Amino acid sequence: IIHATVLTKDGQRMSKSKGTGIDPMKLIETYGADATRFGLVWMSFGGQDMKFGEEPMIAGKKFLNKLWNASRFVLQKTGGSIAADFPAAPQIIQNASMVESVHAVIKTIEDCIERYEFGQALHTAHEFFWHTFCDQYIEWAKKQEDEETKQVLGATLIAALRLLHPFVPFATEALWQHIRKDNWAKQLMVAEWPSAH
């Protein structure tokens, strides 16, 4: 239920005695713990066997870089004053659309996790963060200076950190510690899951 059988690229079962196993510590040394975790979850889809390759770890490193860059942009844009909550009724259509997208992705990821579909949950979170948030919303927000957009930027980043924490815990915790406010949970790992409404 929780993870697939990990196979080599040519479909053999990984085995210490056969010498087909991979030392996870070497992967962590090469790619980092979060990128390695990202890669393993990325390849996992329910009970299916998965052929191991290092490409998903490379993708994980790129994703973590995207996460840091997006966070840095939001911090600069908001002057470090990040809001955890969305505006009650956004007036700008792009902001309202972003809030709807966040609520929808929270629900989808919750559903995946409840069904133990961790790979699908990560794919959904990745698609949302990289494309919906970074490629579309942040690119639009770069030219905006209103307070509503800054609030939505901050609240979306906070929601994203919470959603991504089970998959890339070290990077998200480091970012949380950098931006958290006094009234927020001291650690992201004990912060509330974002609300889907």
Side-chain angles (χ1 to χ4, degrees):
I1 292 173
I2 294 175
H3 59 79
T5 301
V6 183
L7 306 174
T8 61
K9 273 190 174 181
D10 58 2
Q12 292 184 53
R13 192 180 197 96
M14 284 199 178
S15 164
K16 242 185 181 179
S17 58
K18 288 182 180 179
T20 55
I22 293 176
D23 183 352
M25 296 309 294
K26 289 182 180 175
L27 292 173
I28 291 169
E29 285 173 18
T30 303
Y31 302 108
D34 274 351
T36 299
R37 183 184 181 110
F38 177 103
L40 291 171
V41 176
W42 185 263
M43 290 183 281
S44 174
F45 284 93
Q48 297 176 359
D49 293 347
M50 66 176 180
K51 291 184 179 178
F52 180 84
E54 295 187 24
E55 294 82 3
M57 281 74 174
I58 296 167
K61 282 191 79 166
K62 290 178 181 176
F63 181 73
L64 290 168
N65 187 52
K66 190 82 165 178
L67 179 62
W68 283 105
N69 288 338
S71 300
R72 185 169 57 241
F73 167 77
V74 173
L75 280 167
Q76 289 172 346
K77 189 73 171 178
T78 61
S81 180
I82 291 182
D85 300 315
F86 290 105
Q91 299 301 303
I92 300 169
I93 191 167
Q94 289 88 347
N95 292 334
S97 177
M98 186 73 249
V99 173
E100 287 178 16
S101 294
V102 171
H103 291 156
V105 81
I106 291 168
K107 182 71 172 75
T108 302
I109 291 171
E110 282 177 352
D111 291 345
C112 289
I113 290 173
E114 285 177 10
R115 294 191 304 267
Y116 300 102
E117 295 173 354
F118 303 121
Q120 184 59 55
L122 178 56
H123 277 259
T124 300
H126 175 277
E127 176 72 19
F128 166 76
F129 189 83
W130 194 296
H131 300 293
T132 306
F133 184 48
C134 293
D135 290 351
Q136 297 171 22
Y137 186 72
I138 283 181
E139 286 306 310
W140 171 81
K142 284 178 179 178
K143 298 175 184 176
Q144 313 306 313
E145 294 300 334
D146 60 280
E147 292 305 312
E148 181 184 280
T149 300
K150 291 176 183 178
Q151 184 177 354
V152 173
L153 271 170
T156 302
L157 176 62
I158 295 306
L161 291 178
R162 289 172 171 170
L163 291 172
L164 290 166
H165 186 65
F167 310 108
V168 285
F170 297 106
T172 51
E173 186 69 61
L175 287 165
W176 179 267
Q177 294 303 323
H178 186 68
I179 65 179
R180 81 174 192 88
K181 308 295 184 201
D182 290 339
N183 60 333
W184 295 4
K186 286 187 177 180
Q187 292 182 307
L188 178 54
M189 68 181 294
V190 295
E192 288 184 8
W193 186 256
S195 174
H197 56 75

